Amino acid sequence: MTSTSCDQIEHDLVIDHIYAMLHQEEKTYSQHICSLDQDCHPHSSRNRHIVQHSNDLSRSKICEWAFKVVDHFGYEREIVGICMDYIDRYMSSLKKSSTQLPANDYQILSATSLYLAVKLHGKKDNKYAPSKSLTNINTFVMLSRGVATKEIIEQMEMSILSALEWRMNPPIPSYFVSHLVELFPSRMMPRDILYDLIEISRYLTELSACTSALSNGHRPSLVAFACLLNAMDYVDMTYVPRDIVISFLETVSRITQLQPEMAEVQKVRKILKDLVGPNIFKGEVDNCQKERCHEPLSPGHTDNTHGCLEHVTASPDCASGMYY
């Protein structure tokens, strides 16, 4: 089998994965999302409910705490996006049943959601992290600082699983980003630019998890697309042939029906830009692209090195202080 045939098979597989996530987004995990400039219609097949369970300050505290925990124990940061999805959908289920969550239980919900996310999706990406595992419920009892016992966490765990109907594999924005960037032809894409696009896009998805207007107001695929478009603004795309960018956008549009000029896409892009400021990546990206040669990725090559944009994946600039 030729390398071209292998590339085509991998390309088709990526597209299949995107279609599968879009189906999940549309049919299985859409209950808590509602466009902020539209009403939610109960008779619609896309019935959604905006979750008004906390302001962005408390949400930011949860996010910051969760990012610090997964960083300390060496787990992938995508876990936090899954955790926040669990929280949002659980609160949405309470809203639909007109049930109020006691204030003290919100901390328990946050800790248990992270525990579930790690247990179901956790992968360590730091071999030097503490040997103690977050899949051990006693670790979360310790992290709660007396707020929760093992029995309380187990009770909340069953409550979450029941409320979410055991649907625990949400298509979060970072998953879409990882697949959408695969639609760029790697043979013609400078590897440093592709690396920067991925790192900045992932950072923006982390910010989106901390912002209720994005997590609860827009589809994950659309948020991911907006993150990629903004990342393309931050990165110097001069070395990328224009026809490559056009082909990429056309492919994304064909698969997802998303286009850069769509009003909702523009709205999400503005929210993201307001979150990070105008020049947050400017110096870092320029320095990286001066120091690294613009070599296209070879077939099947993955750049796992830690370049000068590594700090971009630091905890989003949320509220200060530990949540617990």
Side-chain angles (χ1 to χ4, degrees):
M1 184 178 292
T2 65
S3 60
T4 303
S5 299
C6 290
D7 289 345
Q8 185 61 48
I9 291 174
E10 292 179 1
H11 182 78
D12 293 342
L13 185 60
V14 168
I15 293 176
D16 286 344
H17 285 168
I18 295 175
Y19 277 131
M21 289 192 295
L22 289 171
H23 180 79
Q24 285 182 307
E25 178 183 74
E26 171 74 23
K27 302 298 183 181
T28 309
Y29 293 92
S30 63
Q31 291 85 356
H32 74 288
I33 303 173
C34 182
S35 178
L36 294 182
D37 51 6
Q38 295 178 359
D39 293 328
C40 294
H41 301 290
H43 61 272
S44 172
S45 63
R46 296 177 61 84
N47 181 24
R48 299 178 180 135
H49 302 267
I50 297 180
V51 180
Q52 300 289 353
H53 62 275
S54 64
N55 57 33
D56 275 339
L57 178 60
S58 60
R59 185 184 185 91
S60 294
K61 288 181 179 178
I62 296 167
C63 275
E64 183 183 26
W65 171 77
F67 276 119
K68 286 182 177 179
V69 170
V70 297
D71 285 346
H72 177 75
F73 287 92
Y75 284 88
E76 294 180 347
R77 295 169 66 86
E78 290 176 338
I79 291 296
V80 177
I82 297 173
C83 165
M84 298 308 297
D85 176 90
Y86 291 170
I87 294 173
D88 289 338
R89 286 193 288 135
Y90 183 82
M91 297 303 299
S92 178
S93 71
L94 295 185
K95 179 181 175 63
K96 286 187 285 185
S97 63
S98 300
T99 303
Q100 288 286 340
L101 184 72
N104 291 340
D105 286 356
Y106 196 67
Q107 293 184 7
I108 299 170
L109 170 63
S110 304
T112 307
S113 295
L114 183 58
Y115 169 58
L116 268 170
V118 171
K119 189 160 66 169
L120 296 174
H121 300 278
K123 296 178 182 177
K124 285 210 172 191
D125 62 354
N126 184 354
K127 63 181 180 180
Y128 300 109
S131 58
K132 185 175 293 186
S133 173
L134 283 179
T135 57
N136 186 333
I137 193 171
N138 292 322
T139 302
F140 279 90
V141 173
M142 176 194 69
L143 289 172
S144 73
R145 297 182 181 178
V147 173
T149 64
K150 178 180 178 181
E151 291 72 24
I152 289 175
I153 293 177
E154 288 175 339
Q155 290 173 7
M156 179 61 77
E157 179 181 13
M158 292 308 302
S159 179
I160 293 172
L161 291 170
S162 176
L164 273 52
E165 300 177 339
W166 294 78
R167 293 170 176 169
M168 311 302 289
N169 301 286
I172 58 176
S174 59
Y175 286 173
F176 275 106
V177 164
S178 296
H179 284 77
L180 290 176
V181 294
E182 293 290 334
L183 299 178
F184 276 110
S186 60
R187 290 174 177 272
M188 304 180 67
M189 193 71 176
R191 64 180 180 181
D192 58 327
I193 293 180
L194 187 60
Y195 175 80
D196 291 346
L197 279 177
I198 293 171
E199 290 299 294
I200 294 177
S201 297
R202 285 177 176 170
Y203 172 75
L204 294 175
T205 64
E206 292 172 6
L207 283 181
S208 73
C210 291
T211 310
S212 58
L214 296 176
S215 295
N216 297 317
H218 304 277
R219 291 168 292 152
S221 59
L222 188 144
V223 173
F225 184 53
C227 289
L228 265 173
L229 291 175
N230 281 17
M232 290 168 67
D233 283 350
Y234 293 123
V235 174
D236 183 4
M237 300 291 285
T238 305
Y239 297 91
V240 181
R242 180 168 175 76
D243 59 326
I244 296 299
V245 177
I246 294 175
S247 175
F248 167 75
L249 294 176
E250 289 176 347
T251 303
V252 171
S253 177
R254 175 172 54 84
I255 297 171
T256 66
Q257 308 304 311
L258 294 171
Q259 298 177 349
E261 61 271 15
M262 291 174 60
E264 190 177 1
V265 172
Q266 293 293 328
K267 184 173 185 176
V268 172
R269 293 191 65 187
K270 184 180 185 307
I271 294 174
L272 289 167
K273 287 181 178 180
D274 289 344
L275 286 173
V276 301
N279 300 310
I280 186 170
F281 302 116
K282 179 63 177 174
E284 290 81 358
V285 172
D286 286 349
N287 289 337
C288 284
Q289 293 181 355
K290 287 177 182 178
E291 294 171 6
R292 297 203 296 257
C293 61
H294 296 277
E295 298 177 358
L297 283 171
S298 58
H301 175 79
T302 302
D303 188 355
N304 291 320
T305 59
H306 295 285
C308 31
L309 278 179
E310 181 180 6
H311 74 280
V312 167
T313 58
S315 297
D317 187 15
C318 302
S320 61
M322 294 294 286
Y323 181 63
Y324 287 110

